[in-house]
Amino acid sequence: MERKRIFTQRNDPFGREIFRIVDCFYRESTRFSMQWGAWVPRVDVYETNDKIVVLVEIAGIKIQDIDITFHEGKLILRGTRQENYISEPEVYHRMEINFGPFERVIQLPVEVDAQNAEASYNNGFLEIVLPKK
């Protein structure tokens, strides 16, 4: 079966919006299985010879509002991003910033030493370094 492109012009505003919606659906599909209002922060997970590193994009969240746990080879991140407006909005023209609770469960690719994990938070990124066993 031959695949055909429906939208071929990148400058087509309708086509761009369709691509954005489809991308959001596939990128954040786990959001739909969670409770209403929850969101899923983006993560990068990479490996070196001696560690697994998880980098989490969580700008605007206070470090005390983040819970990090390990369970059966999974890293579990939970927290809440509080709404923080400089002035109270009257009319929304675009809503892309997620607020409220989040949860992210990451299956780790190898066994790690969770007792010696280290975490740091800088410029909206949480970095969790997990030594390999």
Side-chain angles (χ1 to χ4, degrees), residues 52-56 68 70 75 77 117-120 126-130:
I52 298 293
V53 178
V54 178
L55 187 63
V56 188
I68 304 169
F70 300 93
L75 173 65
L77 305 168
E118 295 180 4
S120 60
L126 173 65
E127 182 181 60
I128 304 165
V129 179
L130 304 147

Side-chain angles (χ1 to χ4, degrees), residues 91-103:
V91 176
Y92 279 97
H93 294 279
R94 186 176 294 260
M95 290 181 69
E96 296 181 357
I97 300 172
N98 294 300
F99 295 101
F102 71 85
E103 178 178 87

